[in-house]
Amino acid sequence: MGLAFAYPILAITIQWLCGHAIDFGGQEVIAASPPQARIFTAVWLGSSLFFYLFAGASKSRWRWTLVILATGISALGSIFADRFAVPRNVAVAVAVAEVRSSRPMA
């Protein structure tokens, strides 16, 4: 269920990371980004996703620590996204989609 929610958002994010503007019905919703914003977003999302996936695969006592670390990375990336010219709607949508799709199974 989480994947069905996250798939369109992550697909749009990947398209945006490749340097394309996001259009819906001929209307530009998100402008193409500068390389600085794309690099920041790729590092931010990549590191957060790495820790979420590692926490999901881990059976150790550090599992919840990794989930907290990944959530903190998502939150801090969302806070600092403005400084790197990442559009606010991209930062918030991606952070929410990543948290919902990467929750470890109990």
Side-chain angles (χ1 to χ4, degrees):
M1 188 69 130
L3 184 61
F5 173 76
Y7 174 74
I9 295 171
L10 293 177
I12 288 170
T13 304
I14 290 170
Q15 181 181 356
W16 181 79
L17 285 173
C18 290
H20 303 285
I22 308 300
D23 296 329
F24 286 114
Q27 195 77 339
E28 187 176 281
V29 178
I30 302 171
S33 62
Q36 175 185 352
R38 293 195 309 259
I39 292 169
F40 170 78
T41 305
V43 169
W44 163 45
L45 296 179
S47 61
S48 182
L49 185 62
F50 171 78
F51 285 115
Y52 273 124
L53 293 176
F54 192 67
S58 176
K59 300 294 182 196
S60 73
R61 61 185 175 151
W62 295 99
R63 181 178 186 180
W64 290 109
T65 305
L66 292 171
V67 170
I68 292 168
L69 176 65
T71 305
I73 291 171
S74 288
L76 285 175
S78 181
I79 291 169
F80 289 108
D82 286 340
R83 293 185 183 172
F84 289 92
V86 177
R88 195 63 158 155
N89 51 357
V90 171
V92 172
V94 170
V96 170
E98 186 175 274
V99 169
R100 289 189 54 93
S101 67
S102 302
R103 285 191 184 158
M105 300 294 270

